[in-house]
Amino acid sequence: MSKPGQRVLIALRKMIASGELAAGERIGEIATAELLQVSRTPVRIAFRTLEQEGLLVKSAGRGFTVRAVNANEIAGAVEVRGVLEGLAARLTAERGLAPSIKNALYECLQQGDHLFEKGYVVEDDLRLYHDLNMRFHQLIIEASDNPAITDALARNDHLPFASVSALAVDLNDLTREFRRFNFAHMQHHAIVDALVHGQGARAESLMREHANATLRYASIFSPTQLDPAGLKIIYRE
């Protein structure tokens, strides 16, 4: 997806999660493009993606409406993803990493290390992290060699904020975003260590923890947020 498209997706996810775009509210291409100062093309693509993610519903007429989402629905979908990805990690560890998968995972770690070594992030860094994070998760799913996991994740990804690709960030607080994504990257290192050493149970536990970290540790990344448990803003790693 293009850089403008990623920016539109990130902005709309955050607006929906925070309630700035309320449940049931209709949104259209022209108004959204003007609001975000982009052309209609990235907005149109973003709307389709958000529909697939379960955040927008196509209106009877033209445009889309924001789907009503509650905290329990989000937490349940993320928990299911953690279980499925945890199973994939355990199977991968027990089967043993193929050299090509191991090298690709190490490459993801090296890219992340380079991204965070300067001690801060900018908007382009978050876009790059989004891509390498998706690649990291996909590698583990593929290495599990279990089509049922892939199919189950595909269905779960249609629930709001369940997909690993559903990344929402706060561009107004990049210091917090650095802490949050650097923490997630350190979890990647631990997961790869478990996979390389064939530690199935540890890999499964770490992967489940990784999926749920956003829900469980909201106060670490946003200590001043009034109600982190209420999931007023959701971020997907």
Side-chain angles (χ1 to χ4, degrees), residues 196-216:
V196 168
H197 290 91
Q199 298 169 333
R202 177 173 172 242
E204 180 174 20
S205 177
L206 287 168
M207 201 67 171
R208 293 184 66 167
E209 178 72 9
H210 181 56
N212 284 279
T214 296
L215 302 180
R216 303 294 177 252

mmCIF file of all heavy atoms in Angstrom, residues 196-216:
data_model
loop_
_atom_site.group_PDB
_atom_site.id
_atom_site.type_symbol
_atom_site.label_atom_id
_atom_site.label_comp_id
_atom_site.label_asym_id
_atom_site.label_seq_id
_atom_site.Cartn_x
_atom_site.Cartn_y
_atom_site.Cartn_z
ATOM 1 N N VAL A 196 14.300 -20.875 17.723
ATOM 2 C CA VAL A 196 15.603 -21.398 17.317
ATOM 3 C C VAL A 196 16.032 -22.561 18.201
ATOM 4 O O VAL A 196 16.629 -23.536 17.732
ATOM 5 C CB VAL A 196 16.659 -20.273 17.342
ATOM 6 C CG1 VAL A 196 18.071 -20.843 17.203
ATOM 7 C CG2 VAL A 196 16.390 -19.264 16.227
ATOM 8 N N HIS A 197 15.713 -22.482 19.484
ATOM 9 C CA HIS A 197 16.127 -23.526 20.432
ATOM 10 C C HIS A 197 15.081 -24.631 20.601
ATOM 11 O O HIS A 197 15.200 -25.484 21.490
ATOM 12 C CB HIS A 197 16.450 -22.892 21.794
ATOM 13 C CG HIS A 197 17.696 -22.065 21.783
ATOM 14 N ND1 HIS A 197 17.698 -20.716 21.513
ATOM 15 C CD2 HIS A 197 18.996 -22.411 21.984
ATOM 16 C CE1 HIS A 197 18.932 -20.255 21.561
ATOM 17 N NE2 HIS A 197 19.742 -21.261 21.830
ATOM 18 N N GLY A 198 14.060 -24.606 19.754
ATOM 19 C CA GLY A 198 13.077 -25.676 19.775
ATOM 20 C C GLY A 198 12.239 -25.743 21.031
ATOM 21 O O GLY A 198 11.749 -26.818 21.399
ATOM 22 N N GLN A 199 12.040 -24.615 21.683
ATOM 23 C CA GLN A 199 11.284 -24.571 22.939
ATOM 24 C C GLN A 199 9.809 -24.263 22.639
ATOM 25 O O GLN A 199 9.358 -23.121 22.668
ATOM 26 C CB GLN A 199 11.887 -23.519 23.865
ATOM 27 C CG GLN A 199 13.332 -23.817 24.247
ATOM 28 C CD GLN A 199 14.008 -22.652 24.948
ATOM 29 O OE1 GLN A 199 13.664 -21.492 24.751
ATOM 30 N NE2 GLN A 199 15.005 -22.966 25.766
ATOM 31 N N GLY A 200 9.055 -25.322 22.355
ATOM 32 C CA GLY A 200 7.688 -25.162 21.916
ATOM 33 C C GLY A 200 6.774 -24.474 22.908
ATOM 34 O O GLY A 200 6.032 -23.552 22.561
ATOM 35 N N ALA A 201 6.817 -24.913 24.159
ATOM 36 C CA ALA A 201 5.930 -24.340 25.176
ATOM 37 C C ALA A 201 6.261 -22.864 25.415
ATOM 38 O O ALA A 201 5.366 -22.032 25.567
ATOM 39 C CB ALA A 201 6.049 -25.124 26.476
ATOM 40 N N ARG A 202 7.555 -22.555 25.457
ATOM 41 C CA ARG A 202 7.975 -21.165 25.672
ATOM 42 C C ARG A 202 7.574 -20.289 24.481
ATOM 43 O O ARG A 202 7.082 -19.177 24.659
ATOM 44 C CB ARG A 202 9.483 -21.108 25.878
ATOM 45 C CG ARG A 202 10.024 -19.689 26.044
ATOM 46 C CD ARG A 202 11.498 -19.698 26.426
ATOM 47 N NE ARG A 202 12.050 -18.355 26.404
ATOM 48 C CZ ARG A 202 13.040 -17.947 25.612
ATOM 49 N NH1 ARG A 202 13.600 -18.824 24.777
ATOM 50 N NH2 ARG A 202 13.475 -16.725 25.650
ATOM 51 N N ALA A 203 7.768 -20.797 23.271
ATOM 52 C CA ALA A 203 7.395 -20.041 22.078
ATOM 53 C C ALA A 203 5.900 -19.757 22.058
ATOM 54 O O ALA A 203 5.470 -18.642 21.729
ATOM 55 C CB ALA A 203 7.798 -20.818 20.824
ATOM 56 N N GLU A 204 5.105 -20.746 22.437
ATOM 57 C CA GLU A 204 3.654 -20.568 22.465
ATOM 58 C C GLU A 204 3.257 -19.508 23.490
ATOM 59 O O GLU A 204 2.446 -18.617 23.213
ATOM 60 C CB GLU A 204 2.964 -21.886 22.792
ATOM 61 C CG GLU A 204 1.444 -21.782 22.837
ATOM 62 C CD GLU A 204 0.783 -23.132 23.018
ATOM 63 O OE1 GLU A 204 1.453 -24.078 23.486
ATOM 64 O OE2 GLU A 204 -0.410 -23.249 22.680
ATOM 65 N N SER A 205 3.834 -19.593 24.679
ATOM 66 C CA SER A 205 3.510 -18.638 25.735
ATOM 67 C C SER A 205 3.904 -17.216 25.347
ATOM 68 O O SER A 205 3.141 -16.266 25.555
ATOM 69 C CB SER A 205 4.222 -19.050 27.027
ATOM 70 O OG SER A 205 3.990 -18.107 28.052
ATOM 71 N N LEU A 206 5.091 -17.065 24.775
ATOM 72 C CA LEU A 206 5.566 -15.740 24.378
ATOM 73 C C LEU A 206 4.702 -15.147 23.273
ATOM 74 O O LEU A 206 4.408 -13.948 23.284
ATOM 75 C CB LEU A 206 7.018 -15.829 23.908
ATOM 76 C CG LEU A 206 8.076 -16.033 24.989
ATOM 77 C CD1 LEU A 206 9.422 -16.385 24.361
ATOM 78 C CD2 LEU A 206 8.210 -14.771 25.850
ATOM 79 N N MET A 207 4.280 -15.975 22.338
ATOM 80 C CA MET A 207 3.470 -15.484 21.225
ATOM 81 C C MET A 207 2.091 -15.050 21.715
ATOM 82 O O MET A 207 1.545 -14.031 21.265
ATOM 83 C CB MET A 207 3.338 -16.574 20.159
ATOM 84 C CG MET A 207 2.981 -16.060 18.790
ATOM 85 S SD MET A 207 4.319 -15.072 18.076
ATOM 86 C CE MET A 207 3.706 -14.865 16.407
ATOM 87 N N ARG A 208 1.525 -15.789 22.643
ATOM 88 C CA ARG A 208 0.225 -15.398 23.199
ATOM 89 C C ARG A 208 0.356 -14.105 23.994
ATOM 90 O O ARG A 208 -0.505 -13.232 23.930
ATOM 91 C CB ARG A 208 -0.335 -16.525 24.076
ATOM 92 C CG ARG A 208 -0.714 -17.770 23.303
ATOM 93 C CD ARG A 208 -1.344 -18.838 24.172
ATOM 94 N NE ARG A 208 -2.640 -18.406 24.713
ATOM 95 C CZ ARG A 208 -3.505 -19.227 25.302
ATOM 96 N NH1 ARG A 208 -3.206 -20.510 25.435
ATOM 97 N NH2 ARG A 208 -4.648 -18.779 25.765
ATOM 98 N N GLU A 209 1.433 -14.003 24.750
ATOM 99 C CA GLU A 209 1.680 -12.777 25.512
ATOM 100 C C GLU A 209 1.859 -11.589 24.570
ATOM 101 O O GLU A 209 1.362 -10.489 24.832
ATOM 102 C CB GLU A 209 2.922 -12.957 26.375
ATOM 103 C CG GLU A 209 3.336 -11.738 27.184
ATOM 104 C CD GLU A 209 2.399 -11.468 28.357
ATOM 105 O OE1 GLU A 209 1.527 -12.314 28.639
ATOM 106 O OE2 GLU A 209 2.540 -10.417 28.981
ATOM 107 N N HIS A 210 2.542 -11.816 23.476
ATOM 108 C CA HIS A 210 2.787 -10.764 22.493
ATOM 109 C C HIS A 210 1.475 -10.245 21.917
ATOM 110 O O HIS A 210 1.291 -9.035 21.764
ATOM 111 C CB HIS A 210 3.676 -11.324 21.389
ATOM 112 C CG HIS A 210 4.041 -10.345 20.322
ATOM 113 N ND1 HIS A 210 4.657 -9.147 20.591
ATOM 114 C CD2 HIS A 210 3.877 -10.387 18.971
ATOM 115 C CE1 HIS A 210 4.865 -8.492 19.452
ATOM 116 N NE2 HIS A 210 4.396 -9.223 18.462
ATOM 117 N N ALA A 211 0.565 -11.142 21.602
ATOM 118 C CA ALA A 211 -0.719 -10.737 21.030
ATOM 119 C C ALA A 211 -1.547 -9.934 22.021
ATOM 120 O O ALA A 211 -2.254 -8.999 21.644
ATOM 121 C CB ALA A 211 -1.492 -11.972 20.573
ATOM 122 N N ASN A 212 -1.452 -10.282 23.284
ATOM 123 C CA ASN A 212 -2.280 -9.640 24.298
ATOM 124 C C ASN A 212 -1.620 -8.450 24.979
ATOM 125 O O ASN A 212 -2.246 -7.791 25.812
ATOM 126 C CB ASN A 212 -2.680 -10.670 25.362
ATOM 127 C CG ASN A 212 -3.764 -11.605 24.883
ATOM 128 O OD1 ASN A 212 -4.938 -11.272 24.897
ATOM 129 N ND2 ASN A 212 -3.369 -12.791 24.424
ATOM 130 N N ALA A 213 -0.370 -8.170 24.626
ATOM 131 C CA ALA A 213 0.364 -7.121 25.334
ATOM 132 C C ALA A 213 -0.324 -5.769 25.273
ATOM 133 O O ALA A 213 -0.347 -5.026 26.252
ATOM 134 C CB ALA A 213 1.779 -7.005 24.778
ATOM 135 N N THR A 214 -0.896 -5.424 24.140
ATOM 136 C CA THR A 214 -1.551 -4.125 23.996
ATOM 137 C C THR A 214 -2.705 -3.981 24.970
ATOM 138 O O THR A 214 -2.899 -2.932 25.581
ATOM 139 C CB THR A 214 -2.071 -3.950 22.564
ATOM 140 O OG1 THR A 214 -0.954 -3.931 21.687
ATOM 141 C CG2 THR A 214 -2.821 -2.643 22.415
ATOM 142 N N LEU A 215 -3.475 -5.048 25.141
ATOM 143 C CA LEU A 215 -4.628 -4.978 26.039
ATOM 144 C C LEU A 215 -4.197 -4.966 27.503
ATOM 145 O O LEU A 215 -4.746 -4.237 28.317
ATOM 146 C CB LEU A 215 -5.548 -6.182 25.795
ATOM 147 C CG LEU A 215 -6.100 -6.344 24.377
ATOM 148 C CD1 LEU A 215 -6.972 -7.583 24.318
ATOM 149 C CD2 LEU A 215 -6.883 -5.119 23.960
ATOM 150 N N ARG A 216 -3.192 -5.767 27.827
ATOM 151 C CA ARG A 216 -2.811 -5.931 29.227
ATOM 152 C C ARG A 216 -1.914 -4.819 29.745
ATOM 153 O O ARG A 216 -1.908 -4.526 30.928
ATOM 154 C CB ARG A 216 -2.083 -7.273 29.409
ATOM 155 C CG ARG A 216 -2.898 -8.468 28.958
ATOM 156 C CD ARG A 216 -4.145 -8.688 29.813
ATOM 157 N NE ARG A 216 -4.921 -9.802 29.297
ATOM 158 C CZ ARG A 216 -6.064 -9.687 28.668
ATOM 159 N NH1 ARG A 216 -6.574 -8.494 28.460
ATOM 160 N NH2 ARG A 216 -6.726 -10.743 28.236
#
